[in-house]
Amino acid sequence: MKSWIEIADNSDFSIHNIPFGVYKSAHGPRVATAIGDYVVDLFELNAAGLLSHFNIPNEVFKSAYLNDFITLGKTTTNGVRLRLQELFSDEHTELKDNQALRDAAMWPMNITEMMLPVQIGDYTDFYSSEDHATNVGKMFRDPANALLPNWKHLPVGYHGRSSSIVISGTPIHRPKGQTKLDTEELPTFGPSKRLDFELEMAFIIGKETQLGDTISTADADKYIFGMVIFNDWSARDIQKWEYVPLGPFLAKNFGSSISPWVVTMEALEPFRTKGAVQDPKVLPYLEYQGEKNIDINLDVLLTPPNGTENTISQSNYKYMYWTMEQQLAHHTVNGCNVRVGDMMASGTISGPEQTSFGSMLELSWGGKNALTLNDGTERRFIEDGDTVTMRAYAVHNDKRVGFGEVKATILPAK
Ligand code: MN
């Protein structure tokens, strides 16, 4: 499929993608898609009648969030996605030949400001990469028994906070909190000295359930709208002292950054791949059929103050041990209901190689080994003024579907 819009071969926003997001137009927030280097205003296309087949009220595209659009259901949202592909393809002239509409609806991506795409109700973070869980277990507990006994029987997770999830570009202040070194008798209070990122992807719930309902692994895809890149900022020194016995708390909820474009599961379908071999065998409610992992390249870049980008990790979403379908089946197996806009993050995605570790904790092996950046400075954790950028993209044959990036700069403690 070719487009009349000029799209670079390495563009994340090919005609095969058609993600959804919300941008700040001169008239307020508008639902949009991205193609090539353009943001395309769907309110304008709908108002001009180009999406009239779907009978969607204009208000849905004037919203500050995608929730109302997502609630229309996959038949409609994917129908809109396919219709947009049609409008952008060089076999169709309805948009191509309407210069007035193009002027009103198409904006260069580099001058548009994106907003948080969904109103996030509840947020859950899993812990589903075997390499990450093994690395952390080796460092924090027992190298011989790095994985806790439950890890291969259920997708371990915790409930986080949605209030502190922010859009890419929002600066994050270094958190303050209680920490205690092993060598100290009592805790002290102050700015975290071990600030870290976590390379994650998150999926967004597209269909609600009622309290008491469960979602099977076979049905899970009907409830997943799409995905974003997720940076789960973490304060390792605060985490180490506070996490026993109930898990992460203030070490994690001071800020998490997400990428602005929600890439739909339909766009990611060509990149599905075989999941991890699960041994021991999982309980029946966690069994699944088919290729449920996804081959998505993940890059992490660190830019020091006034410096240039350093690629510090190259991982892949396919390293996940537990699939999204298993995570959702487990999350609801007790009858916990989910709502449109809920966000569920993967947990840090590390691969088997040292260069594919998804956090500074692992890259510096607990702060023991410094990374040397291209400006000659060293990093064990993230310093004030550092910018962390994460990029994600999938490639298969001649198709490329990407997420763009999530980026944030760390400011000194407030
Ligand atoms: Mn996390």
Side-chain angles (χ1 to χ4, degrees):
M1 200 187 299
K2 288 252 182 301
S3 177
W4 50 267
I5 300 162
E6 199 180 315
I7 304 168
D9 287 344
N10 66 350
S11 173
D12 282 348
F13 306 112
S14 69
I15 197 162
H16 307 290
N17 191 345
I18 317 295
F20 295 102
V22 176
Y23 85 106
K24 215 176 256 185
S25 84
H27 315 285
R30 294 275 179 88
V31 171
T33 188
I35 184 152
D37 294 327
Y38 289 95
V39 171
V40 184
D41 188 318
L42 300 191
F43 173 87
E44 296 290 345
L45 299 196
N46 196 51
L50 294 193
L51 305 174
S52 61
H53 170 74
F54 304 99
N55 288 316
I56 302 171
N58 279 329
E59 289 65 42
V60 168
F61 295 112
K62 238 192 326 191
S63 173
Y65 298 106
L66 293 175
N67 296 53
D68 290 347
F69 177 66
I70 295 172
T71 302
L72 298 172
K74 276 193 187 234
T75 307
T76 303
T77 57
N78 195 45
V80 169
R81 180 174 161 270
L82 297 175
R83 170 65 175 150
L84 291 168
Q85 275 180 339
E86 197 174 87
L87 290 171
F88 298 144
S89 85
D90 58 9
E91 285 151 35
H92 286 257
T93 55
E94 290 155 280
L95 179 58
K96 184 186 178 191
D97 292 348
N98 188 340
Q99 193 60 49
L101 182 57
R102 281 170 60 174
D103 290 345
M106 295 181 66
W107 299 96
M109 200 174 271
N110 60 3
I111 61 157
T112 52
E113 187 183 337
M114 298 302 295
M115 302 169 69
L116 199 69
V118 283
Q119 186 162 33
I120 305 161
D122 284 301
Y123 155 58
T124 301
D125 194 18
F126 285 96
Y127 189 54
S128 290
S129 148
E130 183 175 1
D131 287 296
H132 173 70
T134 304
N135 288 339
V136 173
K138 277 185 193 166
M139 271 183 272
F140 281 13
R141 289 181 294 269
D142 176 5
N145 297 289
L147 291 180
L148 287 166
N150 61 0
W151 199 88
K152 288 198 166 178
H153 294 280
L154 55 86
V156 168
Y158 69 93
H159 287 119
R161 269 189 83 76
S162 55
S163 67
S164 51
I165 300 176
V166 295
I167 189 66
S168 175
T170 310
I172 304 279
H173 282 278
R174 177 177 299 273
K176 292 187 284 196
Q178 272 197 36
T179 60
K180 190 184 90 62
L181 297 176
D182 291 339
T183 52
E184 294 171 337
E185 196 191 333
L186 293 170
T188 54
F189 177 81
S192 167
K193 294 189 181 76
R194 295 191 146 206
L195 182 58
D196 202 353
F197 62 82
E198 289 190 335
L199 170 61
E200 306 195 19
M201 299 290 294
F203 67 86
I204 293 163
I205 294 294
K207 185 179 172 183
E208 68 168 25
T209 59
Q210 301 302 313
L211 190 63
D213 289 351
T214 59
I215 299 174
S216 67
T217 55
D219 281 343
D221 289 342
K222 297 177 188 150
Y223 293 83
I224 304 174
F225 177 73
M227 299 177 77
V228 293
I229 316 171
F230 193 98
N231 181 353
D232 183 18
W233 295 100
S234 299
R236 299 302 178 192
D237 42 1
I238 298 172
Q239 183 179 354
K240 192 165 192 283
W241 172 233
E242 75 169 6
Y243 89 104
V244 188
L246 286 186
F249 188 30
L250 304 185
K252 300 278 190 174
N253 66 5
F254 60 92
S256 305
S257 309
I258 63 168
S259 55
W261 295 105
V262 183
V263 176
T264 66
M265 297 319 293
E266 289 81 6
L268 292 169
E269 205 52 45
F271 312 100
R272 289 278 191 181
T273 185
K274 240 166 93 95
V277 175
Q278 296 185 321
D279 181 24
K281 199 165 151 21
V282 298
L283 286 167
Y285 80 92
L286 289 170
E287 286 174 358
Y288 68 93
Q289 304 294 320
E291 299 195 324
K292 291 298 175 193
N293 228 328
I294 314 180
D295 185 350
I296 306 172
N297 300 291
L298 306 171
D299 293 342
V300 184
L301 303 103
L302 197 160
T303 310
N306 308 312
T308 55
E309 285 179 346
N310 296 255
T311 301
I312 56 171
S313 176
Q314 294 192 290
S315 185
N316 194 300
Y317 186 74
K318 72 182 177 191
Y319 294 138
M320 295 279 286
Y321 185 86
W322 297 102
T323 66
M324 282 181 276
E325 291 77 7
Q326 291 179 309
Q327 290 172 336
L328 192 50
H330 183 65
H331 203 309
T332 58
V333 76
N334 65 345
C336 172
N337 52 326
V338 295
R339 292 177 292 202
V340 170
D342 286 357
M343 190 167 277
M344 300 188 182
S346 56
T348 308
I349 307 159
S350 294
E353 310 296 332
Q354 201 258 331
T355 52
S356 58
F357 292 171
S359 65
M360 288 302 285
L361 179 72
E362 294 162 273
L363 290 166
S364 73
W365 206 254
K368 284 195 185 76
N369 313 316
L371 302 185
T372 303
L373 304 184
N374 55 19
D375 67 354
T377 61
E378 292 190 334
R379 290 293 184 284
R380 288 174 168 80
F381 291 95
I382 301 300
E383 304 289 339
D384 291 348
D386 284 352
T387 299
V388 174
T389 306
M390 295 173 181
R391 301 199 177 114
Y393 61 96
V395 181
H396 183 67
N397 297 334
D398 59 342
K399 279 192 182 147
R400 179 176 166 126
V401 168
F403 289 76
E405 62 184 27
V406 58
K407 184 178 199 165
T409 300
I410 293 298
L411 302 179
K414 231 176 175 172

